[in-house]
């Protein structure tokens, strides 16, 4: 289940997987990132069996993907494994789907490649090949077998049809489903497809690896984990302070996705900043944390990585101080993804 950073992949997988579990099915999830310390894994593993491929994408760590799938199979015997690739990845048909089908035809059957497109960000310019990100997003849609227009709950009536028209122009043959992981509309259509015998067809779409590499390299990646302690504080306030700082430093278009999850002794909160909009992805307990807390930050922004690191370190430490929290252990990492170098490429 692919799609650009922030398109709603993790939320959709969580919804689908939990619905299947409720129906008595065994499922597992594999997450993926260039770094480690992943908000997505932390979020999903609260109630699902999760494996993760870190330190590079599925395509460049293909054997690691298979190892994870095998381990999940032997531990939990899932019937269905959801796999969420890095949001800046494309060419998945040639580098992940086809290799699984060719090399492991007995062990796995692969459902059609689904690519999520955020209803709020599906504009002509988002898929314009004149920009590097546009090139990437367009290729993701071109190779999709199923295009999922996500977050349909956020669209006004009448806004979906033009978006369907837009993606149809890019990809004439994909099945298109518009749905909402939050509201649940049309989610069953995706489930039906997954539970049916429909398998992926082998086909890929031409791509220029030089442009693809330059697109990914435009992004700065930041992963940080901060432990802190103190009296009661407002988790929303803490995260919003960090998001506001990012929004004042970067153009909204350049903020692909920033996710923050905080788990304290009494609550857990996950929030996202996708371009200019802040959303709460999940809360357990209340918005107020207390005691010992652990905050994980994953930011993917068009930025020089060193600058991104400075801004996040500074905004995090100053927000913690303002809210009366004492910073304990912390670690972070920032980099730009290195050029994709797939383990296999079958087309
Ligand atoms: N309103 C609404 N928000 C959503 C929906 N799906 C995801 N989101 C929000 O969009 C943000 C990014 O979602 P996420 O699943 O982390 O995206 P990913 O990067 O593609 O995995 C989060 O704040 C989610 O809460 C949806 O169906 N409706
Ligand atoms: Mg995700």
């Amino acid at each position: 289940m692919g799609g650009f950073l922030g398109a709603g992949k993790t939320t959709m997988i969580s919804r689908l997987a939990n619905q299947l579990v409720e129906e008595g099915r065994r499922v597992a999830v594999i997450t993926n990132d260039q770094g480690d310390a992943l908000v997505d894994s932390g979020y999903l593993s609260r109630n699902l069996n999760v494996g993760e491929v870190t330190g590079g994408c599925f395509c460049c760590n293909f054997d690691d993907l298979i190892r994870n799938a095998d381990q999940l199979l032997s531990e939990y015997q899932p019937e269905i494994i959801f796999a969420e690739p890095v949001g800046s990845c494309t060419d998945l048909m040639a580098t992940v789907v086809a290799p699984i089908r060719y090399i492991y035809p007995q062990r796995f059957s692969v459902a059609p490649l689904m690519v999520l497109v955020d209803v709020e960000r599906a504009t002509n310019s988002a898929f314009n090949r004149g920009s590097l990100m546009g090139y990437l997003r367009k290729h993701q849609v071109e190779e999709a077998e199923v295009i999922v227009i996500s977050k349909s709950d956020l669209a006004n009536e009448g806004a979906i049809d033009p978006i369907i028209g837009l993606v149809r122009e890019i990809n004439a043959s994909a099945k298109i489903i518009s749905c909402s992981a939050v509201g649940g509309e049309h989610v069953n259509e995706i489930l039906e497809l997954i539970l049916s015998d429909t398998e992926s067809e082998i086909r890929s779409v031409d791509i220029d690896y030089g442009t693809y590499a330059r697109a990914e390299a435009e992004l700065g990646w930041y992963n940080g984990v901060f432990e802190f302690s103190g009296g009661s504080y407002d988790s929303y306030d803490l995260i919003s302070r960090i998001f506001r700082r990012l929004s004042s430093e970067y153009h909204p278009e350049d903020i692909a996705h920033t996710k923050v999850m905080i788990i304290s002794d009494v609550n857990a909160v996950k929030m996202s900043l996708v371009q200019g909009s802040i959303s709460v992805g999940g809360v357990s307990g209340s918005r107020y944390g207390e005691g010992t807390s652990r905050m994980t930050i994953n930011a993917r922004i068009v930025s020089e990585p060193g600058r991104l690191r400075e801004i996040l370190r500074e905004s995090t430490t100053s927000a913690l101080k303002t809210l009366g929290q004492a910073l304990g252990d912390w670690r972070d990492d920032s980099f730009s993804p290195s050029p994709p170098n797939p383990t296999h490429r079958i087309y």
Side-chain angles (χ1 to χ4, degrees):
M1 194 156 252
F4 199 66
L5 302 153
K9 301 179 290 297
T10 306
T11 312
M12 182 60 77
I13 289 175
S14 171
R15 166 113 200 185
L16 296 171
N18 281 299
Q19 231 167 291
L20 288 168
V21 169
E22 271 168 36
E23 289 168 18
R25 296 193 180 260
R26 291 185 311 277
V27 302
V29 184
I30 304 179
T31 61
N32 179 214
D33 197 70
Q34 315 271 7
D36 59 4
L38 306 187
V39 170
D40 287 355
S41 307
Y43 176 67
L44 292 166
S45 61
R46 291 171 312 157
N47 49 0
L48 294 165
N49 303 316
V50 179
E52 56 179 18
V53 173
T54 56
C57 51
F58 285 154
C59 4
C60 306
N61 292 272
F62 182 80
D63 295 339
D64 212 11
L65 171 64
I66 299 298
R67 242 194 319 276
N68 260 280
D70 279 340
Q71 191 171 342
L72 289 166
L73 281 174
S74 69
E75 273 178 43
Y76 309 110
Q77 297 84 47
E79 302 155 76
I80 297 155
I81 300 178
F82 289 92
E84 178 184 344
V86 177
S88 63
C89 260
T90 191
D91 203 30
L92 296 164
M93 286 305 288
T95 61
V96 179
V97 173
I100 298 177
R101 296 210 59 195
Y102 274 118
I103 306 170
Y104 302 103
Q106 251 79 52
R107 213 175 318 165
F108 303 106
S109 77
V110 191
L113 176 67
M114 303 192 187
V115 171
L116 272 69
V117 171
D118 188 331
V119 81
E120 289 196 303
R121 293 179 181 91
T123 58
N124 262 316
S125 70
F127 302 114
N128 186 338
R129 288 199 128 155
S131 82
L132 287 170
M133 286 307 139
Y135 182 86
L136 226 160
R137 279 191 285 246
K138 186 166 187 197
H139 191 272
Q140 290 181 329
V141 172
E142 279 172 338
E143 72 166 349
E145 296 180 274
V146 180
I147 298 169
V148 177
I149 316 260
S150 63
K151 313 187 190 179
S152 63
D153 56 294
L154 297 176
N156 296 324
E157 226 184 283
I160 306 244
D161 283 346
I163 293 172
I164 292 179
L166 178 70
V167 296
R168 186 49 86 214
E169 267 178 47
I170 300 173
N171 183 328
S173 60
K175 184 179 168 72
I176 301 177
I177 302 174
S178 76
C179 64
S180 164
V182 169
E185 296 85 18
H186 301 290
V187 164
N188 282 340
E189 286 178 40
I190 305 182
L191 280 179
E192 274 165 30
L193 205 102
I194 291 170
L195 294 173
S196 74
D197 291 332
T198 319
E199 287 193 46
S200 173
E201 293 165 17
I202 294 171
R203 97 199 137 87
S204 61
V205 175
D206 267 357
I207 182 163
D208 174 53
Y209 264 70
T211 312
Y212 176 19
R214 275 189 287 130
E216 281 203 293
E218 252 196 353
L219 290 160
W221 231 251
Y222 175 90
N223 291 337
V225 180
F226 296 83
E227 284 167 8
F228 56 91
S229 55
S232 175
Y233 65 93
D234 182 350
S235 314
Y236 291 179
D237 186 18
L238 173 55
I239 300 173
S240 302
R241 281 169 190 272
I242 299 169
F243 285 172
R244 277 202 297 275
R245 176 73 193 282
L246 287 173
S247 298
S248 73
E249 296 280 348
Y250 294 102
H251 192 275
E253 295 253 302
D254 289 341
I255 304 177
H257 195 188
T258 300
K259 299 168 265 192
V260 178
M261 184 159 81
I262 308 181
I263 300 172
S264 84
D265 289 341
V266 296
N267 78 333
V269 168
K270 178 186 166 229
M271 286 170 75
S272 277
L273 175 67
V274 179
Q275 297 188 346
S277 11
I278 296 183
S279 58
V280 179
V283 189
S284 64
S286 78
R287 63 192 276 177
Y288 296 97
E290 200 176 330
T292 307
S293 305
R294 182 186 167 87
M295 172 160 68
T296 308
I297 304 177
N298 294 167
R300 287 88 183 88
I301 295 180
V302 175
S303 170
E304 191 276 308
R307 172 168 178 239
L308 181 59
R309 183 181 58 221
E310 283 324 300
I311 290 168
L312 279 165
R313 281 185 183 172
E314 216 178 273
S315 55
T316 300
T317 45
S318 95
L320 288 174
K321 203 166 160 190
T322 309
L323 297 185
Q325 301 298 306
L327 180 61
D329 286 344
W330 63 281
R331 68 186 165 92
D332 66 3
D333 190 17
S334 84
F335 55 89
S336 282
S338 44
N341 181 18
T343 315
H344 303 285
R345 185 145 196 270
I346 302 175
Y347 50 96

